[in-house]
Amino acid sequence: MLTGLGLVTVVLLAALFWYYVIYNPTAQTDWERLPTLAQYRQRHPQCARGEQTLCCHCGAAEHLDLGLLQYTDWRRQIMCRQCKNRLWRESD
């Protein structure tokens, strides 16, 4: 059975694991640098065609919706299906 100090250690290790492996502050900062869809459309008005948004690099209309660190991550990054450039960010 865990003592008081052992339980605190386990909780602290779990919190550190979550912060550095699951949340990953470096990836979070990188994700926050991506524009939102509204910012992307404002920066690249030539890529906004009604409801459709094109890739500003190659002009493709098909996108990939990927989780930042894993498939179920709430931090989503939208990438061009053709040239694989990251275009904008979303959150679930």
Side-chain angles (χ1 to χ4, degrees):
M1 182 174 254
L2 291 174
T3 63
L5 184 58
L7 183 59
V8 169
T9 303
V10 168
V11 170
L12 181 61
L13 288 174
L16 287 171
F17 177 82
W18 176 85
Y19 185 72
Y20 286 106
V21 176
I22 306 297
Y23 177 74
N24 194 328
T26 304
Q28 175 71 21
T29 302
D30 189 39
W31 179 75
E32 289 173 350
R33 286 190 193 120
L34 287 173
T36 62
L37 177 58
Q39 292 167 338
Y40 179 84
R41 290 174 65 96
Q42 185 177 12
R43 288 180 192 170
H44 307 285
Q46 73 280 7
C47 297
R49 304 242 170 95
E51 292 294 315
Q52 188 178 39
T53 304
L54 306 175
C55 173
C56 64
H57 302 281
C58 69
E62 294 182 6
H63 309 112
L64 299 169
D65 181 355
L66 304 170
L68 183 61
L69 297 175
Q70 58 188 354
Y71 179 73
T72 58
D73 200 326
W74 60 271
R75 298 164 295 184
R76 312 301 294 174
Q77 53 187 347
I78 309 304
M79 298 177 69
C80 175
R81 184 174 291 242
Q82 185 171 329
C83 68
K84 306 298 189 260
N85 280 299
R86 297 180 335 145
L87 304 177
W88 67 85
R89 66 181 158 102
E90 295 178 351
S91 57
D92 283 345

